[in-house]
């Protein structure tokens, strides 16, 4: 049975909610449930002026919003959900996306009314526990990264990147330094150059060495008084640790610029090396990657940015300040506590619902557990790398262990067989594919990130499937083009979707 | 370590395959002097679920939850009753723990939901196309300004005085860095919106005018003439809706000619959550503007067998393809919040949304009348939806704190946003939703009277 | 991917829970989360005697209980769940089982700590709200049935039947009347005769008329001084209302016996006729059938029994009594409030978790909504009956409307095609089959109960599938024997399972 | 009416197909004088979800939840920490809203879970086979007695004085109606169990002896000799376990020769719930006894393609097939509670269950020592698991009420069960689980001291 659109099964006369009818309530018969706990005001309980006070702006025409009863609604979304693959269904080895287990305790904690049912503008005296959560999480983030402080309000990783770059720009402006260029490695996430551009910078690429790391010599050669910052991902998007990170930072600092670290891969090293010790000035942390908040099919994210001593004065508003009497929330630009803040990036104080989840995760693992997390994540990736490198080309496999991701290329595939075919064939084996065609620096890249949450038995199953498909790809098995055959849909026509966009129901 | 499946036996066997003596050895690329060979000192070690839950519960109890007080706060975040089935459905593991639908064959659940969400938002806003959501209302507002800049090639934005002050700050901050001009003045306490005055300001430099509907003082106005003025000058009209429930009662911005309608979707399905995560809504009236839109879009297509299916589309606008030339640096949406919003909208339907809006407006009218009877208090608004401004004879910041001391969360003091001593700080914005009872209104009236006495 | 048994993927060294290690906590480092809210006593906080105090009964040998980490556990059960059909997935038209929507509000309410986190032996002063729930639900049950009172403690429908029959026996014994026989219609649920037998009665059948109802004349002929009670289901298991119920009751009462009504089908008439008005002395109510508590794959149930004035004094313990000061719980047999109670049927006070759900449902629908519930349930069943009776034999279709169930037989199927084949073919169409081979009085019975929770669109889809399969059954389509082909399993060998029972993992 | 999908348009169209003028007309078989043509008077009409939730919340707040007090109650129901994932998983719609798996091809989720549950219970109890669960421990206990009657053809049961008094009452009630003999005496306050005395009572009439382990006073004893005595006399030994966590530390009844082991599974996964729904566990040591077992059984088999699968089996024992000759009238189990138990057992595993039991015992030892220091209080038990009996110098019923008045839920007074003035009422059963903190123990000690002063 195919599940129709809600527009096809619902109508504007059906609803899955009830509202008290004033008449019913006035009659008293419908008021039962309200006894003892508050009642809805009735029409005769106060003087209502005639008509409404909508200023003549009544929405008189139907706008065609379909409704369903509650049973139909539950069934519609339950059925839709069953067409999804998710980490709860199996391994989800998307390199650089980090699909790890989302503990259910976190969900429970986030729903405690003392967190979920607070308005962001309540008086500070009524939200001390919530501010305490922000402060406690901040303490962990700062401790784990060895930095001076953290800006908690960015709403996702890319927003955090923007925050970091704006902080850097504010710091440069404060010293009257109008540098115009940001250097980004070829292998960077697309967000890095996009962020730099949005912050008003010109973007230049830094080349990579043959072994997949930043070319220090080339970088040093390019550094100069026009360079505001270097954006580096470490571990990098090839799944390798930047061995010369400290030297890079030193060179950047010597040139008067700042080091921005893309923290997307912090989960590979948490508890084992502190970015602050490597000379990083700013780094965003994707709470969902390192600290297990749910992805939810594409968000919401949360991207706190840890900052060095040099950048802290320029951090955005608002922030929490601990005083003897409790916690204050510094929200105003003219507050004496924030004379140099670059300003506000969004309404309110950040992704509280993600903070509670991340804090519950961090406390559950503790300092010892988080260290084991990075260890197991790296162990799992190396296990996949070594068990597959005889049938799949591992471009940097010879240079040593990888970090939390195993990177393969399509070298060795028969003519006409592509990374895409291998990925779709994995679906038929019951697995979600790895990240395809990223990083761009490797041809037909396949970036496999198992995370620490997979058992050896699952990895062995996955490796067996991957090896068997790789053999077929090398042999030029034509049937790979037909995959997937066992999914809810066969391959979808993305070209058609873009050429003739249908972006809303038009029935 | 309950989240880690590997046993020590597994670890040993795997290290053997890898040919490494220890896990530490896998980190050989980290300089030895910077490698931490034991847990960071001064931080707690792992804890049982029970201990963590107890700790978090203790923190949660240090807050006054909205349900435990007469509650009248709005100003950009609204407390509505969320049906229990919404939270049940968003906790389905297949929704909760899925990633961005990059493999559409096994992500049709998320994709169809996004297509439905886009369609619902478009109809609510009176627009042709909506995107798959953004971070929140304030960032969606800024994205609308930059999009208007791309469409008109003009970098000046005129902001209504009734725009939410956090949205104004966000735009001012971003504009400073990205080189946009912002024309904005603080609000004056009049019953009418500034739409007419804004129309007079539109000129050949103007990329867009940004208005909020209802605005931060709860005022509402017809934006048709303003839209005409914008269009005549080659500018776009951007409308911001922070309370989407209002559109169950009020004419939509799209119907009145707004070109870009953005909003905060938190009021439906998402809940208060102390400010986040929320849900940015973004729609355009003219489908030709789609390729200048930021954010993800889900589109309909067919699979190899001709069956209808859905995919993320027009991604050449986005950062992972276009890098520094993208329409935005955003690489996520607010998927789970969009799901919650969409499920709530489906449960409501037009009938339910209209009933919900009518109930909000009815209660707000009752409350406005009752509170205006409190000595010293006057109601500013003539027209409003579920939120209105009270002018009080003192600084409302202290008033709000006093009321909180008595267990009443009585509204948002405008002095929090406009502490300039020009009179704006003597006003209180009161929101009244269906969650408010007759007893709550009486309690607020009595508490106001007591605090003002 | 097939999901293995937990015994095949788990082991005795893996666990998905953590416990505080006293050593860790004593060191202080692990105590973070406990700060401010209570800490686990540490080894040195009190004098622990050496060793344990298990009296030498330590369980020293491994007993082979496998454990999984939390991610593996979530995945194991998520995958298992996806092999289930459920009302959340589609129509579940099991006649006599009543699969209706389970509102999510009920689940939320049942989990409020003030209900879910109460010990049954807490002092009464600390559980007044819980006793209030029992009292409020009891008030509704009594009002809806027109009876004198209700025994709330039975744990399921069959337990309620037992309660009702024991109450009757206690009432008879109290008047020194040792009647030995209980009369049960041929079409009764199997629980009826089983219950009567367990309560120490001989069971005799009452015949049915050609139109599927109790034969009043035959019943009257059998009644006599040896008959203790008659157990009748109304609406009966053929989906028909017993038109002569009042006459039956009068005859039974005239013979000095009691009328037990099986309330399994009360959902068909709730709000439209009160069993008390029909002369019923005792009736159990399956809270899951009429009042929407979840089935949970086979329970738990809850079977309160409403009782007439004549039976109330003999109701079992415990029960709630309302006083001026609040609610009392009467638990002891020697309590003056219960001099004639027949005693206790189970520990504690009944299925509280089901009471809160049922009450939330009842309050949601209210007196008007419950009446609409029975109306829509009967409307849906009659719609199916009339839309299918030209292709499926409806043995009692000519006698008038049915109640909440449409009954069909296999008359007209080609030789060799059975009701089972039709049912399994429905699975391949995406639907759960109806009840098969019950009631026993109809050959190859198919009992379809749509409930009030299905939309017309769903019914039309279901009817289309049912009609098409019925046509194939009439035509003798051999492929029906192969169904289901699209389910997680093909037909399972039940004979093998019974012949060589494997009831526990033996690996 | 949010749960009803039919619109009035639908209803009219359907009535048209049926050929009936109205829904009322479909009820023509109901005698007109008894048919209610409008909602029953005096009862409330339908209400919004918000109103119902508010009402239920108000009722829930009139109770003192265990989490909000130092909590020491046991006596057949135990408060343990239930991992959040348990509740998440049992709320999966596919588990929550499925029926008894009568169509096994589309119910393998429930069936495999039941097979795993049966296997887990069998191992925990040291038995060969367990059924798919029953109503609760007390009814499972009675079913064990009737099963022993069927196996031995003897209708006399000897109950230990340490059997839970509600279980005793249940058995006595049922025995009276079904014609069984019950031999039972109230407990005396000794440190030892009555197992030795019971062995002396076994005779040729005895169908079974029923013991509880740990018993209602928290006592534990070796039942090996008693089992031998039973077997020598042709009787069965039935062991009742009301606290399954104990078997993470204590030798199982099956290992000691018990023939039928039944129990209350509530302690794992299910929660307190004010007494229900709970979870009856039922297992037999000798697989030859399977056909005399009551309740559902899930068994392994293969499908038409030879794939492993699971079905309900041996249903010829059950009422829907065998009617008045069934082994029990039960036609349901406690499926959802069994799932919760099984998920919790899977999370624990043997390692976790042993750790949980050790933690319970450690804390109970600490508490027993501390409370025995309170003047006037003595501890009865030498050996115990997580529950023990305190002898106090007053009627413990009043003591418990006094402590509740001070916000402490300090235990179960035996006087509640044995109010006979023979001294039993001067005792208090105290349970100590992993949820108890050091502060809780100190608080109980101080409160006891205060109330006894």
């Amino acid at each position: 049975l195919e599940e129709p659109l809600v527009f096809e099964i619902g109508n504007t006369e059906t609803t899955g909610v009830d509202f008290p009818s004033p008449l019913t309530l006035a009659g008293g018969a419908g008021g039962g449930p309200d006894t003892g706990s508050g009642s809805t005001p009735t029409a005769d309980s106060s003087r209502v002026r005639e008509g409404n006070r909508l200023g003549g702006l009544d929405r008189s025409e139907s706008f065609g919003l379909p409704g369903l009863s509650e049973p139909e609604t539950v069934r519609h979304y339950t059925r839709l959900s069953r067409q999804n693959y998710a980490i709860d269904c199996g391994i989800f080895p998307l390199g650089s996306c980090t699909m790890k287990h989302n503990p259910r305790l976190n969900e429970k904690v986030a729903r405690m009314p003392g967190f979920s049912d607070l308005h962001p503008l309540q008086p500070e005296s009524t939200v001390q526990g919530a501010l305490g959560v922000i402060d406690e999480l901040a303490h962990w983030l700062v401790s784990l990264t060895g930095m001076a402080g953290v800006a908690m309000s960015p709403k996702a990783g890319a927003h955090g990147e923007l925050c970091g770059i704006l902080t850097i720009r504010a710091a440069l402006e404060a010293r009257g330094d109008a540098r115009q260029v940001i250097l980004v490695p070829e292998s960077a996430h697309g967000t890095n150059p996009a962020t730099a551009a949005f912050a008003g910078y010109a973007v230049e690429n830094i080349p990579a060495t043959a072994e997949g790391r930043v070319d220090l010599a080339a970088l040093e050669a390019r550094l100069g008084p026009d360079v505001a910052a270097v954006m580096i991902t470490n571990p990098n998007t090839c799944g390798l640790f930047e061995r010369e990170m400290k030297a890079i930072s030193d060179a950047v600092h010597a040139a008067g610029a700042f080091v921005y670290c893309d923290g997307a891969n912090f989960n590979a090293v948490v508890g084992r090396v502190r970015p602050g010790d490597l000379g990083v000035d700013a780094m965003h942390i994707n709470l969902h990657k390192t600290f297990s908040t749910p992805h939810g099919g594409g968000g919401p994210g949360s991207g706190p940015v840890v900052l060095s001593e040099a950048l802290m004065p320029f951090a955005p508003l608002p922030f929490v300040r601990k005083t003897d009497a409790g916690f204050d929330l510094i929200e105003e630009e003219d507050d004496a506590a924030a004379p140099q803040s670059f300003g506000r990036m969004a309404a309110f104080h950040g992704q509280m619902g993600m903070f509670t989840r991340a804090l519950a995760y961090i406390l559950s693992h503790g300092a010892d557990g988080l260290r084991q997390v990075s260890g197991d994540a790296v162990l799992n990736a190396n296990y996949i790398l070594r068990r597959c490198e005889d049938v799949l080309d591992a471009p940097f496999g010879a240079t040593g262990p990888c970090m939390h991701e195993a990177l393969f290329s399509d070298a060795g595939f028969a003519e006409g067989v592509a990374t895409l075919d291998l990925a779709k064939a994995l679906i038929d084996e019951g697995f979600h594919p790895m990240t395809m065609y990223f990083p761009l620096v490797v041809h037909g890249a396949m970036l496999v990130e198992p995370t620490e949450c997979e058992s050896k038995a699952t990895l062995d199953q996955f490796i067996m499937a991957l090896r068997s498909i790789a053999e077929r790809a090398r042999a030029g098995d034509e049937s790979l083009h037909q995959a997937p055959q066992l999914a809810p849909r066969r391959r979808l026509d993305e070209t058609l979707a873009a050429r003739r966009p249908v972006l809303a129901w038009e029935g | 370590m309950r989240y880690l499946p590997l046993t020590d036996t597994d670890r040993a066997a795997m290290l053997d395959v890898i040919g490494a003596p220890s896990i530490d050895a896998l980190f050989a690329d980290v300089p030895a002097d910077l490698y931490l060979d034991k847990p960071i000192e001064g931080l707690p070690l792992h804890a049982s679920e029970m201990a963590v839950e107890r700790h978090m519960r203790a923190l949660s109890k240090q807050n006054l939850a909205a349900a435990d007080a007469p509650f009248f706060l709005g100003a950009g975040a609204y407390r509505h009753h969320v049906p229990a089935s919404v939270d049940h459905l968003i906790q389905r593991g297949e929704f909760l723990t899925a990633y961005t639908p990059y493999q559409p064959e096994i992500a049709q659940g998320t994709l169809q939901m996004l297509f439905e969400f886009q369609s619902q938002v478009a109809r609510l806003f009176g627009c042709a196309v909506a995107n798959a959501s953004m971070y929140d209302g304030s960032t969606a507002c800024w994205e609308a300004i930059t999009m208007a800049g791309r469409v008109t090639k003009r970098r000046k934005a005129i902001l209504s005085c009734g725009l939410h002050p956090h949205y104004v700050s966000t735009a001012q901050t971003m504009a400073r860095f990205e080189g946009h001009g912002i024309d904005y003045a603080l609000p004056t306490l009049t019953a009418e919106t500034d739409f007419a005055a804004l129309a007079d300001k539109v000129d050949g430099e103007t990329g867009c005018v940004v208005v909020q509907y209802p605005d931060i003082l709860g005022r509402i106005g017809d934006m048709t003439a303003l839209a005409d003025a914008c269009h005549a000058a080659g500018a776009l009209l951007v409308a911001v809706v922070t309370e989407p429930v209002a559109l169950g009662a009020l004419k939509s911005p799209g119907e009145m000619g707004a070109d870009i309608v953005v909003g905060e979707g938190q009021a439906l399905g998402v809940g208060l959550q102390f400010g986040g995560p929320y849900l940015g809504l973004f729609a355009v009236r003219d489908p030709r503007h789609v390729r200048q839109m930021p954010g993800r879009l889900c589109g309909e297509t067919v699979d190899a067998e001709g069956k209808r299916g859905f995919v993320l589309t027009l991604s050449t606008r986005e950062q992972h393809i276009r890098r520094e030339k993208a329409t935005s640096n955003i690489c996520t949406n607010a998927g789970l919040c969009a799901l919650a919003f969409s499920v709530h909208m489906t449960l409501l339907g037009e009938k339910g949304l209209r009933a919900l809006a009518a109930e909000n407006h009815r209660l707000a009218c009752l409350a406005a009348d009752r509170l205006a009877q409190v000595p010293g208090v006057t109601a500013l608004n003539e027209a409003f939806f579920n939120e209105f401004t009270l002018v009080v004879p003192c600084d409302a910041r202290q008033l709000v704190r006093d009321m909180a001391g008595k267990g009443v969360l009585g509204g948002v003091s405008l002095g929090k946003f406009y502490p300039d001593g020009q009179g704006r700080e003597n006003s209180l914005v009161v929101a009244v939703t269906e969650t408010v009872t007759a007893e709550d209104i009486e309690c607020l009236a009595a508490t106001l009277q007591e605090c003002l006495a």
Side-chain angles (χ1 to χ4, degrees), chain A, chain B:
Chain A
L1 285 177
E2 296 297 329
E3 185 61 13
L5 291 169
V6 63
F7 289 83
E8 293 159 344
I9 50 179
N11 62 69
T12 57
E13 285 309 305
T14 300
T15 179
V17 297
D18 291 313
F19 289 96
S21 143
L23 275 179
T24 304
L25 284 165
D34 280 317
T35 312
S37 58
S39 58
T40 301
T42 57
D44 57 2
S45 73
S46 181
R47 301 150 305 130
V48 188
R49 292 197 214 163
E50 286 189 14
N52 65 42
R53 298 193 220 163
L54 298 176
L57 292 166
D58 306 58
R59 189 165 199 171
S60 45
E61 293 188 21
S62 170
F63 47 104
L65 191 70
L68 294 176
S69 66
E70 179 174 314
E72 294 168 285
T73 302
V74 169
R75 193 175 288 169
H76 177 65
Y77 290 100
T78 299
R79 286 179 171 178
L80 284 186
S81 77
R82 288 168 64 100
Q83 295 179 34
N84 269 5
Y85 190 98
I87 188 76
D88 278 6
C89 305
I91 185 174
F92 211 127
L94 275 183
S96 147
C97 298
T98 313
M99 290 295 286
K100 62 166 66 176
H101 174 64
N102 305 138
R104 292 314 185 269
L105 172 65
N106 303 359
E107 297 304 310
K108 186 174 182 179
V109 161
R111 285 166 175 80
M112 290 176 177
F115 299 135
S116 63
D117 196 22
L118 294 184
H119 192 286
L121 301 175
Q122 282 183 216
E124 286 166 356
S125 65
T126 66
V127 295
Q128 286 295 304
L131 298 177
V133 166
I134 298 176
D135 184 70
E136 190 170 340
L137 177 59
H139 175 71
W140 275 92
L141 298 181
V142 162
S143 302
L144 290 169
T145 55
M147 303 285 280
V150 58
M152 296 296 286
S153 67
K155 297 201 154 276
H159 207 223
E161 284 182 29
L162 191 59
C163 172
I165 296 301
L166 295 184
T167 309
I168 288 169
R169 188 161 151 187
L172 289 167
E173 286 178 357
R175 71 180 194 216
D177 198 343
R179 295 168 180 243
Q180 291 302 325
V181 176
I182 284 184
L183 304 181
V184 177
E186 297 170 330
S187 60
H189 293 112
T191 45
N192 290 177
T195 297
F198 268 83
Y201 286 104
V203 178
E204 289 185 25
N205 279 335
I206 319 170
T209 64
E211 49 169 50
R213 293 184 171 86
V214 168
D215 187 330
L216 177 58
L219 173 68
E220 285 177 329
R222 179 59 190 82
L223 284 170
D226 60 336
V227 174
V230 177
M231 295 179 86
I232 290 189
T233 306
N234 189 22
N236 70 24
T237 60
C238 297
L240 304 175
F241 191 84
E242 294 286 352
R243 292 174 188 149
E244 303 191 284
M245 188 67 200
K246 189 74 177 66
I248 293 170
S249 300
D250 290 344
V252 172
H253 291 156
F258 291 95
V259 177
Y260 186 86
C261 182
D262 181 328
N265 295 339
F266 183 55
N267 57 304
V269 295
V270 60
R272 291 177 186 264
V273 60
R274 291 181 299 191
D277 294 341
L278 297 168
V280 167
D281 292 292
M283 180 180 90
H284 74 269
I285 298 174
N286 304 83
L287 291 187
H288 64 273
K289 293 185 184 182
T290 306
F291 300 119
S292 84
T293 64
H295 293 72
S302 180
V305 180
V306 288
L307 297 167
S308 63
E309 206 72 62
L311 293 180
M312 263 316 283
F314 308 97
L317 295 164
F319 55 84
V320 174
R321 188 177 53 179
K322 193 171 187 169
T323 69
D324 290 343
F327 298 103
D328 284 351
L329 191 62
I330 309 300
E331 296 206 77
E332 299 301 326
E333 298 190 34
D334 54 2
D335 193 300
Q340 291 186 288
S341 165
F342 78 75
R344 178 179 279 280
M345 293 190 72
F348 311 127
H349 342 299
Q351 308 288 67
M352 183 68 186
M354 300 294 127
F355 298 162
T356 50
R357 289 173 171 91
L359 181 58
Y361 176 81
I362 286 173
L363 293 174
S364 294
H365 268 309
D368 54 337
L370 290 173
R371 194 170 179 279
Q372 191 67 51
V373 160
S374 53
D376 283 359
V378 169
L379 177 62
N380 278 353
N382 277 282
Y383 182 67
I384 290 176
L385 180 68
R386 296 313 170 197
R387 291 267 331 256
C388 294
E389 62 185 345
D390 58 329
V391 293
L392 276 174
D393 174 60
F396 309 117
T399 68
C402 62
M403 289 280 100
H404 62 311
E405 295 163 324
L407 177 61
F408 301 104
S409 85
D410 63 2
F413 286 8
E415 184 68 25
V417 178
T419 288
L420 182 73
D421 298 317
L422 178 139
K424 300 297 183 192
L426 268 173
I427 293 176
D428 281 339
E429 301 287 329
F431 298 103
H432 196 282
M434 65 285 283
T435 292
M436 309 177 298
Y437 304 110
F438 181 84
L440 306 178
V441 292
V442 167
H443 194 270
M446 288 168 274
L447 191 63
V448 182
E449 178 174 359
T451 83
E452 71 282 2
C453 295
E454 298 302 330
S455 69
K456 179 168 178 296
T458 298
L459 295 182
D460 287 335
Q461 270 189 321
F462 176 75
I463 287 165
M464 209 156 65
L466 186 56
R467 289 183 60 90
S468 126
I469 298 168
E471 302 278 16
R472 290 164 62 197
R474 296 169 80 88
D477 180 346
E478 286 291 324
S479 73
L480 289 173
H481 297 304
Q482 301 306 315
Q485 313 218 28
L486 306 175
R489 284 290 179 283
R490 302 291 302 275
R491 285 194 206 182
L492 287 148
D493 189 341
E494 308 208 14
T495 312
L496 174 70
R499 208 178 60 232
R500 293 193 21 222
V502 178
L503 305 171
W505 191 72
E506 290 164 350
Chain B
M1 313 260 175
R2 55 192 178 271
Y3 306 143
L4 301 179
L6 295 186
T7 63
D8 282 340
T9 314
D10 293 332
R11 292 187 183 105
M14 293 164 74
L15 285 168
D16 207 45
V17 167
I18 296 166
S22 67
I23 287 178
D24 286 328
L26 300 174
F27 290 86
D29 286 334
V30 179
D33 58 328
L34 301 179
Y35 185 70
L36 310 170
D37 58 5
K38 55 182 198 302
I40 296 172
E41 283 184 28
L43 294 174
L45 302 185
H46 69 279
S48 70
E49 182 175 304
M50 189 178 70
V52 176
E53 188 176 333
R54 196 178 273 161
H55 177 69
M56 297 301 291
R57 175 154 291 124
L59 282 168
S60 84
K61 297 226 166 179
Q62 292 167 28
N63 305 304
L64 177 60
D68 294 331
F71 181 88
F72 295 89
L73 275 67
Y78 298 88
R79 182 165 193 264
H80 290 287
H81 174 76
V82 178
S85 49
V86 173
D87 195 47
H88 174 84
L89 290 165
I90 72 170
Q91 287 195 68
R92 294 268 311 165
E94 292 91 332
F95 285 131
L96 184 74
T97 75
Y99 199 70
T100 302
Y102 287 143
Q103 297 287 349
E105 298 87 352
I106 49 176
Q108 286 296 304
T110 294
L111 285 160
Q112 181 169 334
M113 177 280 287
L114 289 177
F115 186 81
E116 293 175 348
F117 168 81
Q118 292 175 176
S119 306
Q120 288 168 323
V121 172
R123 285 178 184 229
L124 184 70
F125 281 178
C127 286
V129 177
N131 75 10
S133 80
M134 314 198 74
Y135 301 144
D136 76 344
S138 66
T139 54
C141 176
W142 168 247
E143 295 281 351
I145 294 170
T146 67
M147 174 175 158
R150 287 192 298 275
V151 170
T152 62
K153 318 267 192 241
R154 301 175 186 172
R155 299 204 134 210
K156 181 175 124 188
I158 302 174
L159 312 189
S160 161
C161 73
L163 183 61
H164 192 292
H166 283 179
Y167 291 35
V168 172
S169 298
T170 301
Q172 285 172 327
T173 299
M174 297 305 301
R176 180 158 69 83
F177 288 108
E178 299 192 14
H180 287 255
I182 298 285
D183 181 338
Y184 168 75
L186 295 177
T188 49
L189 296 181
T190 61
E192 303 299 320
T193 64
D194 61 350
F195 295 178
L198 292 172
D200 294 340
K201 290 172 92 175
V202 181
D203 59 20
E205 309 291 298
T206 305
C208 63
V209 174
V210 183
V211 298
Q212 185 173 317
Y213 173 82
D215 79 3
I216 187 67
L217 303 181
R219 302 176 301 193
I220 47 182
D222 192 329
M223 62 186 83
T224 311
L226 175 58
D228 292 343
C230 287
H231 299 158
L236 301 188
L237 177 61
V238 175
V240 176
V241 178
T242 62
E243 169 51 299
V245 173
L247 300 187
L250 294 174
K251 203 174 285 191
S252 70
E255 288 173 87
M256 293 186 281
D259 299 285
I260 306 176
V261 186
V262 299
E264 173 51 65
Q266 162 277 331
L268 288 168
V270 178
L272 288 176
Q273 301 198 85
F274 199 49
Y278 281 2
L279 172 67
L281 307 175
F282 196 112
V284 296
R285 192 170 49 85
D286 184 340
R288 287 170 304 182
H289 287 156
V290 162
R291 281 171 206 271
Q292 289 301 335
M293 278 174 83
R296 287 186 183 146
L297 283 166
C298 173
E300 183 180 320
T301 186
V302 294
D303 79 355
E305 289 175 352
K307 278 191 192 171
R308 176 170 73 182
F310 302 92
V311 293
L312 292 184
T313 191
L314 301 181
S315 56
T316 50
R317 300 164 300 114
E318 293 183 72
Q319 48 73 31
H320 63 283
I321 304 290
R322 208 170 173 79
R323 301 176 77 88
E324 64 266 30
K325 300 199 177 60
T327 54
S328 160
N329 82 325
I330 289 182
C331 84
T332 185
N333 58 349
L336 203 63
C337 298
L339 174 64
F341 179 96
S342 192
V343 176
H344 198 172
M345 288 283 268
T346 296
L347 279 166
L348 287 165
E350 183 164 332
K351 182 180 180 181
L353 185 66
R354 284 185 181 275
L356 174 62
E359 180 69 1
N360 273 254
H361 186 58
R362 188 177 71 83
L363 290 168
C365 290
L366 287 170
D369 287 350
R370 175 68 187 86
L371 297 172
Q373 293 172 26
V374 175
V377 174
T378 52
L380 179 73
N381 311 54
E382 271 302 313
F384 58 91
F385 169 60
N386 68 355
E387 193 169 18
F388 49 82
T389 298
L390 296 179
V391 181
V392 294
C394 65
D395 188 322
R397 281 175 292 185
Q398 189 56 45
L399 177 63
V400 162
R401 283 191 289 264
D402 291 347
M403 290 195 288
K406 297 173 187 296
V408 175
L409 296 170
V412 175
S413 66
L414 283 182
K416 192 177 178 81
F417 305 127
Y418 314 114
D420 54 2
Q422 304 295 307
R424 277 175 284 263
E425 72 280 9
N426 286 7
S427 49
L428 182 71
V429 177
V430 175
V432 184
T433 72
E434 77 285 359
T435 64
V436 165
T437 64
E439 290 79 0
D440 291 340
I441 294 173
E442 276 312 310
C443 179
L444 175 58
T447 308
L448 258 182
Q449 186 152 355
E450 201 179 324
C451 292
L452 292 176

